[in-house]
Amino acid sequence: MATVETIGGRLDPEDLGLTLIHEHFFSSDEAVSAQWPHVRQRDREYELALESAEAVKSHGVKTVVEPTAMLLGRDIPALQRLASDTGLQIVVCTGIYTYDHLPQFLLNRDEDFIASLFVHDIEEGIQGTDVKAAFIKCAADEPGVNERIEKVHRAAARASVRTGAPIMAHSRPATNTGPRQVEILLEEGVAAEKIQIAHTGDTDDLTYIQGLLDMIELLKRGHAERMFISQDFDVPIANGLDWFPPETVEQLQAAGAATNWSMTFLFEDIIPTLKDAGITDDQLDTMMVENPKRWLGV
Ligand SMILES: [Zn+2]
C-alpha cells in the first residue's frame, strides 16, 4: 500500500486532505545564515511562519508540501517545531535548488554520487533527524539546462528510479526549460506520473491574469488531473524576502509587485475567481486533494 513521508512520520495518502503543493515556511541563503547569523531574526521568522501555518489551517488545509531543498536553507528542526506546534502535516524534500552554481564538492562528483545523497534523505532521514524526504527537488531557470543543471536532474532521476520518490522540477516558461527537463527525467526512466513541472503558470508579463486564463482554459479542456495549484509563497525572513534588501522589497511593493502575496491568497482571491469562471468544486478537489495523493504516494 502506498504511503507518504511527512515531518510527523509515514501517512496513508488518504489522510493528506486539502493540500498546498508548494509553499516555503523557512527559506533563506544557507551560506549567509551559517556565516553571518546576525542578519537573521529567527524568532521573528518563526512567528511569521506560525502565522502562515495558522492562516492556511483556517482555510481547511491539512498538509503543506515544503519544497525547500539544498541552497534554499532547508531547516528540518524548525519545520519539526512548526508541525508539532500547529498539527499541520508538512511534507519535505531532498534535492538541490540551483539555477547554475554547484559547490566544488558536487562539481567534482558524478550523478550517481549525488543521487546517493538524495537516497540517503529519502531512506535514512535528513540532517541527522529521522524525518524522511518524500520527493526530490531540482530546478532550471534563466541559464537553461546547462551541464551542471543536467547533472542535478540526472541525479534526481536516478534517486527517483531507486526509491519511487516523485520529482518537482522548478521550470522557467519564459525560456521554455520544461521540455528538456522532462526529456532528461524520462530518459533516466522516471515514471511520467511522478514528474511535476513547477511554475508552468508563470510568465514574465501579466503573470497573474495570464496565468489564471491559462489555468481556466486547461481546466475547461479537462486537464484537472494533470494540474496542481499553490502559491509558492516564501514566509519573509528578517525584514523582507531573503533575496532582496528590505528597501528593495518596499520599492517593488510600492510599484505594485506581490502586494497581496501570502499563503492564503489562493483561498481569498484565486479560487473565488476560478469559481466565477465556472471551475467546479470537483475540479478543485482533484487539484488539491486527489493529485497530491497520487503524486506523493509511494
Ligand atoms: Zn518554490
Side-chain angles (χ1 to χ4, degrees):
M1 201 191 72
T3 57
V4 181
E5 292 290 349
T6 72
I7 285 275
R10 196 170 285 179
L11 285 186
D12 181 339
E14 294 299 325
D15 294 330
L16 290 175
L18 188 64
T19 300
L20 285 172
I21 203 77
H22 190 145
E23 310 294 340
H24 303 271
F25 286 114
F26 303 103
S27 56
S28 61
D29 187 289
E30 58 202 37
V32 171
S33 300
Q35 301 304 331
W36 296 289
H38 70 279
V39 302
R40 300 280 307 275
Q41 299 174 21
R42 290 188 183 266
D43 291 346
R44 179 65 187 139
E45 289 160 25
Y46 188 78
E47 269 172 34
L48 291 169
L50 198 59
E51 272 171 29
S52 284
E54 293 297 349
V56 299
K57 273 172 59 190
S58 75
H59 286 280
V61 171
K62 276 185 74 184
T63 304
V64 174
V65 177
E66 228 277 11
T68 305
M70 178 191 167
L71 298 179
L72 206 50
R74 185 176 61 162
D75 187 345
I76 298 302
L79 289 169
Q80 282 179 305
R81 181 179 166 204
L82 189 66
S84 92
D85 284 354
T86 60
L88 205 58
Q89 297 171 162
I90 302 176
V91 177
V92 299
C93 71
T94 185
I96 303 172
Y97 181 79
T98 182
Y99 296 170
D100 194 358
H101 163 84
L102 276 183
Q104 294 289 345
F105 182 90
L106 299 177
L107 269 185
N108 302 318
R109 288 171 171 82
D110 67 9
E111 290 86 345
D112 287 319
F113 177 83
I114 300 175
S116 75
L117 299 175
F118 299 162
V119 170
H120 174 273
D121 285 356
I122 294 163
E123 292 182 345
E124 310 291 325
I126 307 168
Q127 296 172 348
T129 70
D130 58 4
V131 171
K132 297 186 177 77
F135 65 106
I136 308 160
K137 183 82 188 276
C138 56
D141 206 271
E142 207 160 0
V145 185
N146 60 30
E147 204 184 316
R148 294 169 293 289
I149 296 306
E150 179 168 342
K151 187 174 179 176
V152 175
H153 279 66
R154 293 201 182 276
R158 288 174 200 183
S160 172
V161 169
R162 275 172 63 186
T163 60
I167 295 177
M168 181 191 288
H170 165 110
S171 69
R172 186 169 189 266
T175 45
N176 202 32
T177 59
R180 178 63 186 141
Q181 293 175 275
V182 172
E183 190 175 66
I184 294 169
L185 300 176
L186 293 177
E187 225 172 75
E188 293 281 345
V190 179
E193 67 275 17
K194 291 292 171 191
I195 302 173
Q196 181 195 146
I197 298 298
H199 302 282
T200 41
D202 296 5
T203 57
D204 268 3
D205 53 331
L206 297 174
T207 301
Y208 171 64
I209 297 165
Q210 191 57 48
L212 271 182
L213 291 176
D214 289 349
M215 169 165 239
I216 290 162
E217 187 53 36
L218 285 168
L219 286 168
K220 287 189 170 158
R221 290 191 202 168
H223 294 303
E225 345 36 70
R226 293 277 175 270
M227 294 167 68
F228 294 98
I229 181 171
S230 210
Q231 296 131 134
D232 192 15
F233 179 66
D234 291 79
V235 171
I237 81 154
N239 298 312
L241 293 171
D242 178 51
W243 287 13
F244 304 104
E247 57 278 16
T248 309
V249 173
E250 270 167 38
Q251 279 164 14
L252 287 169
Q253 291 191 331
T259 42
N260 45 14
W261 195 28
S262 79
M263 221 178 268
T264 54
F265 181 59
L266 193 59
F267 302 100
E268 286 145 12
D269 194 309
I270 304 285
I271 289 175
T273 310
L274 291 175
K275 283 189 168 177
D276 286 347
I279 301 312
T280 64
D281 285 338
D282 266 5
Q283 286 170 313
L284 288 169
D285 189 76
T286 299
M287 290 190 288
M288 300 188 74
V289 179
E290 295 304 318
N291 292 350
K293 241 160 58 179
R294 270 191 295 130
W295 182 67
L296 284 168
V298 171

